[in-house]
Amino acid sequence: MEQLSRAELVRMFQMAFAPLSRTFPQGLFMFITSISSIFVFYHVFDSLQDQIGAVWDVEDKFDFIIVGGGSAGAVVANRLSENSKVLLLEAGGEPHPLHRIPLLSLFLVQLPYADWGYYTTPQKNCCLAMKSNSCSWPRGKALGGSSNLNFMVYIRGHKNDFENWANITGDPRWRYENVLRFFKKSENYHGEWDTEHYHSHEGYLNVEQPAYKGMSDIYCRASEEIGIPRRDLNAEYSEGCSPVYNTQKNGRRHDTCNAFLEPVRHRTNLVIRKYSQATKVLFDGPNNRAVGVAYVRHGKKQIAYASKEVILSAGALNSPQILMLSGIGPREHLQEHGIPTRT
C-alpha cells in the first residue's frame, strides 16, 4: 500500500469526523435546552408522589422542628434524630439526579425547581456589568439546599475568625480547637494531608481531590520556589498552596442530602415533609417561647408543634424573612406590611 502523506491523512480524518463535528454541537445544545424540561417532569412526579403521601402524614407534635433541609438543616436533622423526634420542613423537593453531575452547576442556577431565583437590590456601585446593577443570588430550593448548586470547594474558616467570635461573644465554645472536632465529625477525608489532628474518616461528608487537577501541582511547586509552602489550607494555616478539595464522592457531587439525610431516612423518629414552606414561627404568649411553625404544604395551611425547640436553617435570606413574618425584626419595616412586632 502506498504510504500516505501527513496532509492526506489529515484530510481523511477531517472527512471521517465531519458528520460528528456537525451533529455533536447540535446534540449538546439540545441536551442543555432540555435540562429545564427534564427538571419539570421530575418535579411534577415528585410533587404528585408527595401529595399522595401527605394524605396519611398528619402527625403534628415533635421534639424539634427544623425549617430548611439545606446545607445546615440536613446536618442538624441527622444529629438530632439520633435521640429525638424531629420534623424537617423543606420548601423544595428531592434533588434531581442531574444535581450529582458537577459540570451542571452552571445550568442549575435560576431553574425554578432548583433555585429560589433571588436577585440583589439594584445598587449604584455594585454589579456594574449587570442589567439595572442587580446580580443573581443563587439559593438552593430542594433537600440539600445550596449544596446542590455550589461548586463544591471545601475550605474551612480561618482560625483567627473563630477566636475572634469567641472573644466577641464571650463564649469559648467558638474557639478554633472547640469547633475543629465538629469539622472532623462531619468529614470523610481522602487526601495528602491525612493527619489525625485535623481530619477524620468517620463522618458522612466525603472530601477528596478531583481526578483532574489541571496545573495545580505545577503552581504549588512554583509557589514553593518563592517561599510559599505547600500545606493543608483546611488546617490552621493562613498562607500556603494546595490543590482544591471538593465535596465529591467518586467524581460526583456529595451534597448534604445525599451525605446526611439518605443514610438516616429509615429512622422512624425523623419525619421529612417536602414542599412545605414555613410562613410563621408560633410563640407561647408573653414568654415569647417558640412552640411551633405554621407552614403551607401543597396549598394547604398546616401547623406543627415542638416541645423543645424550633430551629431556623432556611438560609441567609429565608431565615430572616421567616423571623420578620413572625414579628421579629425592624419595627417600622414590619408595620409597613401590617405585621405586629413581638416585644
Side-chain angles (χ1 to χ4, degrees):
M1 180 183 293
E2 182 179 354
Q3 188 172 1
L4 296 175
S5 67
R6 181 174 179 179
E8 291 173 324
L9 286 172
V10 169
R11 282 196 297 271
M12 288 179 60
F13 274 104
Q14 288 177 338
M15 293 176 60
F17 288 98
L20 181 62
S21 65
R22 290 193 297 268
T23 59
F24 178 72
Q26 295 175 4
L28 181 62
F29 176 77
M30 291 177 63
F31 171 74
I32 293 173
T33 55
S34 70
I35 289 177
S36 181
S37 299
I38 294 172
F39 266 88
V40 170
F41 287 125
Y42 185 87
H43 165 77
V44 170
F45 177 78
D46 182 45
S47 178
L48 180 61
Q49 189 178 43
D50 192 71
Q51 287 184 58
I52 295 172
V55 175
W56 294 277
D57 190 8
V58 296
E59 191 173 11
D60 62 359
K61 291 181 174 63
F62 303 86
D63 295 325
F64 295 93
I65 298 177
I66 302 169
V67 179
S71 297
V75 181
V76 176
N78 178 299
R79 301 286 190 244
L80 290 179
S81 62
E82 291 176 357
N83 301 301
S84 301
K85 191 175 181 180
V86 176
L87 170 64
L88 177 62
L89 299 176
E90 168 55 45
E94 296 288 335
H96 194 281
L98 290 180
H99 278 114
R100 304 293 304 284
I101 303 174
L103 180 62
L104 291 184
S105 297
L106 296 168
F107 306 107
L108 299 177
V109 175
Q110 294 298 315
L111 288 181
Y113 307 115
D115 182 4
W116 282 94
Y118 291 135
Y119 283 87
T120 61
T121 299
Q123 300 175 70
K124 182 179 179 180
N125 298 314
C126 297
C127 304
L128 300 182
M130 304 300 175
K131 184 178 180 181
S132 302
N133 288 29
S134 177
C135 289
S136 171
W137 192 337
R139 295 284 87 193
K141 188 179 183 182
L143 290 172
S146 297
S147 70
N148 294 318
L149 300 178
N150 63 22
F151 286 85
M152 299 158 287
V153 175
Y154 181 79
I155 189 77
R156 298 173 182 173
H158 194 289
K159 176 183 178 180
N160 290 345
D161 285 333
F162 295 103
E163 299 299 323
N164 288 336
W165 294 336
N167 293 332
I168 292 171
T169 62
D171 187 346
R173 290 176 296 181
W174 280 109
R175 297 202 178 282
Y176 177 78
E177 287 298 328
N178 292 332
V179 299
L180 178 60
R181 63 191 178 98
F182 294 105
F183 281 122
K184 292 169 62 177
K185 184 175 182 179
S186 294
E187 181 186 63
N188 179 25
Y189 180 83
H190 302 277
E192 63 180 298
W193 312 108
D194 196 359
T195 57
E196 185 177 347
H197 183 71
Y198 293 111
H199 296 289
S200 169
H201 303 288
E202 306 301 323
Y204 288 95
L205 185 65
N206 211 69
V207 176
E208 63 183 29
Q209 286 187 3
Y212 175 72
K213 296 191 293 182
M215 296 180 65
S216 60
D217 288 326
I218 297 174
Y219 275 112
C220 284
R221 287 199 298 271
S223 72
E224 288 180 299
E225 290 180 6
I226 61 173
I228 301 174
R230 182 182 180 119
R231 53 173 43 153
D232 185 2
L233 298 182
N234 283 308
E236 58 185 274
Y237 303 109
S238 58
E239 292 183 349
C241 181
S242 171
V244 171
Y245 280 79
N246 299 119
T247 51
Q248 294 183 3
K249 189 171 185 178
N250 299 323
R252 292 178 290 180
R253 176 188 297 275
H254 207 219
D255 55 79
T256 58
C257 175
N258 188 264
F260 291 93
L261 288 182
E262 290 301 332
V264 300
R265 275 196 166 186
H266 64 278
R267 292 177 180 170
T268 56
N269 58 324
L270 173 60
V271 177
I272 300 174
R273 291 181 182 166
K274 300 176 292 184
Y275 304 101
S276 301
Q277 186 168 350
T279 56
K280 189 177 183 180
V281 177
L282 307 177
F283 295 91
D284 181 16
N287 296 325
N288 283 338
R289 178 179 177 272
V291 295
V293 175
Y295 63 100
V296 178
R297 187 182 189 189
H298 298 296
K300 182 181 178 181
K301 295 181 179 179
Q302 295 182 245
I303 292 176
Y305 298 96
S307 62
K308 294 182 179 179
E309 289 184 17
V310 173
I311 300 168
L312 294 184
S313 58
L317 300 180
N318 288 21
S319 287
Q321 180 198 35
I322 295 169
L323 286 174
M324 288 192 286
L325 290 173
S326 307
I328 301 173
R331 183 185 298 274
E332 292 182 0
H333 179 62
L334 297 183
Q335 287 177 343
E336 288 177 12
H337 297 277
I339 301 174
T341 56
R342 302 197 65 84
T343 56

